[in-house]
Amino acid sequence: MQTATEFPTSFAQERVWVLQHLEPESRAYHFQATLTFDGTLDVTALERSLRELVRRHAIFRTTFPSIDGRPVQAVAGEGPVHLVVVDLEDHADAETLLARTIHDELGKRFDLERLPLVRWTLVRLRPDRHVLIHVEHHLLHDGWSFYVFLDELVTLYRAYATGGVPSLPPVPSQFGDIAARQR
């Protein structure tokens, strides 16, 4: 893994960072979404898609250490992406266990100075029904960026699942660049 490159935080990130440090046990700034996949799912293609998203978007490789009492964005080089897979197919109470898994994933604390600040857990309910649990710290996320994530995930998955090569335009700027311009 490469060494980190540092950028200033945006004003919004600094505010969230301060609030998180005031209440370090708070999960108020955890964002969670569930994506349901009906039909056949290529888990390898999904994991490859997530890996490519992390490669493309430096924010998914970013931590927030303190330097002289102020947060910075420390962007790491590419690293591994692990998709945790939980198989509940043989459980009669799979929906209850899914709800518990979502609750447990949302309850896990993030260390703002250590990767990852995004977690993915894939729950298999049946051979033709899977739920992807996406949890990330709000320092990485805003509503608009999640739509970019979803759009690119679909594009990447469709290409990888069919043996194709995804066609996405280069990322015009990373969040660290935007925060640096804001400052």
Side-chain angles (χ1 to χ4, degrees):
M1 184 181 287
Q2 301 170 5
T3 58
T5 302
E6 293 174 0
F7 294 91
T9 59
S10 70
F11 295 120
Q13 285 175 317
E14 185 173 16
R15 179 181 54 81
V16 169
W17 184 90
V18 167
L19 292 170
Q20 184 70 72
H21 278 78
L22 288 173
E23 290 190 55
E25 297 304 315
S26 174
R27 305 305 189 269
Y29 292 102
H30 290 193
F31 169 80
Q32 176 263 322
T34 55
L35 307 173
T36 302
F37 296 88
D38 288 318
T40 303
L41 180 69
D42 183 336
V43 176
T44 302
L46 178 60
E47 188 169 35
R48 189 174 176 197
S49 301
L50 294 170
R51 190 175 311 115
E52 178 61 10
L53 283 163
V54 170
R55 187 200 66 76
R56 284 176 54 79
H57 298 282
I59 195 66
F60 291 124
R61 296 178 274 114
T62 300
T63 58
F64 297 86
S66 172
I67 296 180
D68 297 326
R70 298 194 65 160
V72 296
Q73 294 186 65
V75 179
E78 293 179 40
V81 172
H82 300 288
L83 176 63
V84 175
V85 179
V86 177
D87 191 347
L88 300 179
E89 182 179 355
D90 295 329
H91 294 272
D93 56 347
E95 292 294 332
T96 301
L97 292 172
L98 171 62
R100 183 178 305 142
T101 303
I102 293 168
H103 179 268
D104 291 349
E105 285 301 316
L106 190 55
K108 292 179 186 173
R109 185 177 179 270
F110 285 110
D111 179 345
L112 300 182
E113 296 188 16
R114 297 180 62 132
L115 291 175
L117 294 180
V118 59
R119 292 188 297 266
W120 293 290
T121 303
L122 182 66
V123 179
R124 178 184 165 125
L125 299 172
R126 296 189 312 261
D128 63 345
R129 187 167 181 84
H130 296 76
V131 176
L132 179 66
I133 304 167
H134 171 103
V135 181
E136 66 183 77
H137 197 281
H138 191 51
L139 285 165
L140 311 184
H141 169 89
D142 61 24
W144 176 81
S145 64
F146 189 66
Y147 288 110
V148 172
F149 168 83
L150 290 175
D151 183 56
E152 289 189 8
L153 178 65
V154 168
T155 299
L156 291 165
Y157 178 80
R158 283 182 178 156
Y160 292 142
T162 60
V165 176
S167 177
L168 288 173
V171 177
S173 60
Q174 298 290 338
F175 195 79
D177 301 320
I178 296 166
R181 284 195 298 272
Q182 185 187 63
R183 291 286 178 165

